[in-house]
Amino acid sequence: MCKLILTYKDFAAHKNISHIGLGVSALNTSKVLARQGIDVEVWPIVSAHDLAVRLQRHPATHVAVAAPWIPSAEIQDLLAAFPATRFAVNCHSNVGFLQADPDGVTLVREAMEIEMGSSRFHLAGNSLKFCKWINGAYGAPCTHLPNLYYLDGPPTPVPAFSGGTLRMGTFGATRPLKNFMSAAGAALSIARGLKATLELWVSAGRTEGGGDTVLRAVHAMLDGVPGVTLVENGWQSWPKFRQVARHMHLMLQPSYTESFNMVTADGIAEGVPSVVSEAIEWAPQHWKAKSDDVVDMARVGRSLLTDPFAAADGYAALLRSNRQGTEAWRQFLADSNNQHAIAI
């Protein structure tokens, strides 16, 4: 009988830091897998030692560590201490996003070396594109362990925009690769074309790797434009963010690079469609716009605002993604040799 632990670094345990994305991802993945009869738990940890202590008390057959952050020597120690447990380090970024984390890239390369010397350790990625790159660039295996998103049932779609204040959101940590500047430009174009008052909601309180400059540039674009308000929504708990997402008519998430994009799934769960880039592969094709073409984003956004089936299309796409992703997790749990990792 398999026992799966999904574990992530508990940044919230450190004062003034609240990186909840990996925790939300683990929670959703665990709920989908549990619904399929898989014994799974989510453990926030602060160190490899913390993980070891918990495994001693509650043994598990499989452990998937979210993101490369545990030092390689400590991974080796875990493998030696728990010979009945299979470990995976699951990268939650596609290749482009790794430019913000050189230490993580080093750990990824070291993980490939650890895997060569162990039958119980696997480098993994939640993006199939990332896994194929590892296969092709290094000739190394990479297990596909994708994000899953728990859905209670079809949501009530947000009523089509019919005048008044148009509320659009572009959410997530403010990083250059999230392409918020283009999203803001598209929102402005949509609102002007519809002759609507605009509220553009953005996440605030977590700017990274040049994000302060991005936010200042968005302010420079929108401040003082008649009928336009930029709403900085503070970083908050996931349930509260879901309430914010429900308040939107449309979301814009045109990232230059992604491995899943939880915010788009949050919108789907609340009946709100998103303009996305081609990087978010699982989303409906007609939701996608060119990531470097603001006019194209505006065109897609106008179409989604008037499409009564847009939310249902997103829901169906996310269900398909869950079905395919659950099968990948089942293979990881069932295949003692993990041979599916070699040829993706």
Side-chain angles (χ1 to χ4, degrees):
M1 180 67 179
C2 291
K3 173 72 174 185
L4 171 63
I5 302 301
L6 305 177
T7 186
Y8 65 97
K9 189 172 185 179
D10 187 11
F11 289 95
H14 301 277
K15 187 177 179 181
N16 296 326
I17 300 178
S18 180
H19 293 198
I20 63 172
L22 292 178
V24 172
S25 172
L27 173 64
N28 275 277
T29 297
S30 71
K31 292 176 74 173
V32 174
L33 293 177
R35 188 161 57 183
Q36 297 297 317
I38 294 170
D39 188 4
V40 55
E41 292 183 18
V42 176
W43 292 355
I45 60 171
V46 296
S47 66
H49 175 73
D50 187 14
L51 175 58
V53 169
R54 297 192 68 169
L55 282 173
Q56 287 169 353
R57 296 172 182 168
H58 307 283
T61 60
H62 295 75
V63 174
V65 179
W69 63 276
I70 296 178
S72 297
E74 295 177 22
I75 291 288
Q76 296 275 24
D77 290 342
L78 288 168
L79 287 165
F82 301 96
T85 303
R86 185 178 299 277
F87 292 85
V89 170
N90 196 14
C91 296
H92 278 252
S93 299
N94 198 3
V95 182
F97 232 104
L98 288 174
Q99 70 185 35
D101 186 12
D103 292 336
V105 176
T106 298
L107 290 175
V108 166
R109 295 194 63 183
E110 291 174 356
M112 288 184 259
E113 296 177 3
I114 295 172
E115 184 162 6
M116 287 185 67
S118 173
S119 62
R120 294 183 295 105
F121 176 82
H122 310 285
L123 174 64
N126 74 332
S127 165
L128 191 57
K129 292 179 290 187
F130 173 85
C131 290
K132 289 180 176 179
W133 173 72
I134 290 290
N135 295 160
Y138 293 101
C142 185
T143 302
H144 186 215
L145 297 178
N147 285 50
L148 307 175
Y149 193 95
Y150 185 79
L151 295 165
D152 290 314
T156 301
V158 171
F161 177 70
S162 58
T165 298
L166 176 59
R167 294 183 299 276
M168 287 187 276
T170 179
F171 296 114
T174 308
R175 304 182 181 114
L177 288 173
K178 289 289 187 180
N179 202 14
F180 289 133
M181 189 69 171
S182 294
L188 182 60
S189 181
I190 292 168
R192 185 173 186 274
L194 296 176
K195 299 188 184 301
T197 299
L198 171 65
E199 283 184 5
L200 179 63
W201 290 59
V202 299
S203 297
R206 187 178 162 196
T207 55
E208 301 173 355
D212 286 329
T213 300
V214 173
L215 190 56
R216 290 199 305 270
V218 171
H219 271 289
M221 178 192 291
L222 300 180
D223 288 354
V225 177
V228 175
T229 302
L230 184 64
V231 181
E232 294 189 36
N233 184 60
W235 205 253
Q236 56 197 166
S237 69
W238 181 55
K240 289 183 178 178
F241 173 73
R242 284 274 297 262
Q243 294 176 13
V244 172
R246 188 183 311 152
H247 190 58
M248 301 296 110
H249 292 102
L250 179 70
M251 289 159 47
L252 300 105
Q253 307 297 144
S255 302
Y256 288 122
T257 178
E258 281 287 358
S259 59
F260 181 75
N261 195 259
M262 188 67 64
V263 171
T264 298
D266 288 333
I268 288 171
E270 298 298 341
V272 181
S274 295
V275 177
V276 302
S277 70
E278 63 281 357
I280 306 174
E281 289 190 318
W282 59 267
Q285 192 62 34
H286 61 284
W287 286 22
K288 297 175 185 177
K290 298 174 184 176
S291 60
D292 198 29
D293 190 337
V294 176
V295 173
D296 193 40
M297 292 177 204
R299 176 190 61 78
V300 173
R302 288 192 300 270
S303 176
L304 293 177
L305 280 170
T306 58
D307 182 356
F309 301 105
D313 291 338
Y315 182 80
L318 191 48
L319 282 180
R320 284 194 299 272
S321 178
N322 277 347
R323 285 194 297 269
Q324 295 166 357
T326 299
E327 181 57 29
W329 280 95
R330 285 190 182 280
Q331 290 180 17
F332 170 62
L333 296 173
D335 187 352
S336 60
N337 295 317
N338 212 37
Q339 293 176 354
H340 74 285
I342 297 174
I344 292 183

